[in-house]
Amino acid sequence: MNRITPQSSARPAPRPAPRLTPRLAYAASQSARVAWFLGQYMMATRIGRRITGPPRQSPPDARPVPGTRAILEELRALLARDLANIEAGYYRLPHDLLPDPRRLLTEAAAFFRDVPEVSRRRRDHAAVEVRANPPPGSGGLPAYYRQNFHYQTGGYLTEESARLYDHQVEVLFGGGADAMRRQTLVPIFEYLKTRRSADCRLLDVAAGTGRFLTFVKDNHPRLPVTALDLSPAYLREARRNLAPWARSSALVQAAAEAIPLATGSQDIVTCIYLFHELPPKIRAQAAAEMARVLKPGGILVFMDSVQYGDNPMMDGLIDRFPQSFHEPFYAHYARNDLFALFAAAGLRLRDTSLAYMSKLLVLEKPEA
């Protein structure tokens, strides 16, 4: 087990929400957010097509892809649900409701500098460059992990990738990525409302940059959390993001299929956008490990991509996604019976719902 020790290089504490009504503040910020990231998606698509050429002709039997209007309607429904949760008291307004404009411009500039390289890999199907030139410290990582997922520079293995990742994901989802993640805060709230948060433990599996955990800690500052990830570079980014809550945040470098924590040590396990990037065998092992570290009565809050049939309108996008973004295990994931997978690990389904392009499952480890 490799623990990443918190250091003193801290980012500023999250800004307080503006003194407007929550509804007006939310509407203004999220409208600007969607316009900002959706505009970048459209610009990046144009730049990329100069390198990759026009999109290939779809076969006659291909499933239709939803148009921009239909996708925006789904996104609008997600944001309405997000606001309803805030007004119901499940969680606070986003801590970065007023982002730093300089940071936004810096991240956008870095994103567009990388677009030509991502497009070149997509054109050439160059998905394993990180194996040919492995970043320092990545040699012992599993082979399935040493890839340029999403054709992104450095895969998940470099500081540059860690700095770009959250921005790239928001561009991909038109500004809706954080709102999707925040839906997992509802079952966390429901679990903690009858418990003392300081006495509970939360493990975030595949925590990445720690972005999701900043929302957890902003709402439950006394809840001890552990960010687990395979990438040292991403954990260093997580350390910076979680610096305002360093005293109650731990970081561990490890794989989801080999969690180095004690059996029954966690009240809540969260896992967001991991399973579609795992081979089937590793997926089952990760489910078993997350069930193992949960206490009886504890919950697993799981979010990942929608699957075939969840929202038939999205099935055409599911067809295209693994080719466009290099997701070698996604096609299997899209048909994987998640309910059976988690049942085999000893977990019982409590609730499931859809959120835009994501699927949320809440599972419980039964009492002895």
Side-chain angles (χ1 to χ4, degrees), residues 58 62-68 71 313-320:
S58 299
R63 280 176 274 216
V65 174
T68 302
I71 290 175
M313 183 187 77
M314 297 289 185
D315 284 356
L317 284 178
I318 293 174
D319 289 339
R320 295 190 181 189

Side-chain angles (χ1 to χ4, degrees), residues 44-53 56 111-130 132-133 148 150-155 160 323-324 326:
T45 299
R46 293 193 191 100
I47 294 170
R49 283 180 180 170
R50 295 174 191 166
I51 297 170
T52 62
R56 295 179 181 178
F111 168 75
F112 280 109
R113 282 196 299 271
D114 195 49
V115 166
E117 282 299 297
V118 173
S119 302
R120 175 189 60 78
R121 291 188 198 93
R122 182 176 289 117
R123 180 196 65 197
D124 299 340
H125 303 286
V128 289
E129 287 184 354
V130 292
N133 298 289
N148 294 79
H150 319 139
Y151 292 116
Q152 65 193 37
T153 301
E160 179 187 7
Q323 287 75 36
S324 299
H326 181 63

Side-chain angles (χ1 to χ4, degrees), residues 47-342:
I47 294 170
R49 283 180 180 170
R50 295 174 191 166
I51 297 170
T52 62
R56 295 179 181 178
Q57 190 80 18
S58 299
D61 59 345
R63 280 176 274 216
V65 174
T68 302
R69 178 176 294 181
I71 290 175
L72 286 175
E73 283 299 319
E74 294 284 325
L75 179 54
R76 189 176 294 113
L78 168 69
L79 297 178
R81 175 176 169 181
D82 195 33
L83 176 60
N85 289 339
I86 293 167
E87 293 182 328
Y90 288 116
Y91 47 86
R92 300 172 56 190
L93 284 165
H95 58 67
D96 60 349
L97 202 66
L98 287 178
D100 183 348
R102 293 171 298 179
R103 179 177 62 80
L104 290 179
L105 291 171
T106 299
E107 291 174 351
F111 168 75
F112 280 109
R113 282 196 299 271
D114 195 49
V115 166
E117 282 299 297
V118 173
S119 302
R120 175 189 60 78
R121 291 188 198 93
R122 182 176 289 117
R123 180 196 65 197
D124 299 340
H125 303 286
V128 289
E129 287 184 354
V130 292
R131 293 185 193 172
N133 298 289
S138 62
L141 298 176
Y144 73 79
Y145 191 69
R146 289 182 282 117
Q147 303 191 51
N148 294 79
F149 287 101
H150 319 139
Y151 292 116
Q152 65 193 37
T153 301
Y156 287 127
L157 307 177
T158 65
E159 305 285 347
E160 179 187 7
S161 170
R163 286 191 298 269
L164 283 173
Y165 177 77
D166 288 322
H167 191 93
Q168 289 171 323
V169 172
E170 286 294 351
V171 171
L172 175 63
F173 290 114
D178 277 347
M180 287 191 290
R181 292 188 187 105
R182 283 195 293 269
Q183 304 317 299
T184 64
L185 296 175
V186 176
I188 293 173
F189 171 88
E190 293 286 359
Y191 184 87
L192 292 175
K193 70 180 181 181
T194 57
R195 296 169 173 84
R196 188 170 179 267
S197 63
D199 295 334
C200 296
R201 299 289 183 274
L202 182 147
L203 168 68
D204 189 26
V205 177
T209 67
R211 174 73 177 167
F212 165 68
L213 284 178
T214 66
F215 291 108
V216 173
K217 294 297 289 180
D218 191 46
N219 286 275
H220 307 284
R222 296 185 179 182
L223 175 66
V225 302
T226 299
L228 181 142
D229 203 89
L230 261 177
S231 170
Y234 275 65
L235 283 173
R236 285 190 285 271
E237 188 71 11
R239 180 187 63 219
R240 290 188 283 271
N241 285 326
L242 291 169
W245 308 279
R247 291 185 178 181
S248 55
S249 302
L251 298 99
V252 177
Q253 185 192 357
E257 66 270 23
I259 299 173
L261 299 179
T263 297
S265 60
Q266 305 298 309
D267 298 87
I268 304 170
V269 174
T270 55
C271 182
I272 301 176
Y273 304 139
L274 169 66
F275 269 36
H276 72 274
E277 294 186 342
L278 294 179
K281 180 179 178 180
I282 302 299
R283 212 176 290 149
Q285 292 172 356
E289 275 291 88
M290 291 188 288
R292 178 187 65 80
V293 301
L294 270 176
K295 294 177 180 179
I299 59 170
L300 168 62
V301 183
F302 173 94
M303 177 172 275
D304 213 307
S305 163
V306 291
Q307 297 176 291
Y308 284 118
D310 287 337
N311 181 352
M313 183 187 77
M314 297 289 185
D315 284 356
L317 284 178
I318 293 174
D319 289 339
R320 295 190 181 189
F321 183 72
Q323 287 75 36
S324 299
F325 293 96
H326 181 63
E327 293 284 4
F329 312 116
Y330 184 88
H332 184 278
Y333 163 82
R335 293 179 170 85
N336 200 181
D337 186 341
L338 295 177
F339 305 133
L341 179 69
F342 287 117

Side-chain angles (χ1 to χ4, degrees), residues 34-53:
V34 169
W36 174 250
F37 286 109
L38 192 60
Q40 289 179 63
Y41 179 88
M42 298 171 77
M43 288 178 63
T45 299
R46 293 193 191 100
I47 294 170
R49 283 180 180 170
R50 295 174 191 166
I51 297 170
T52 62

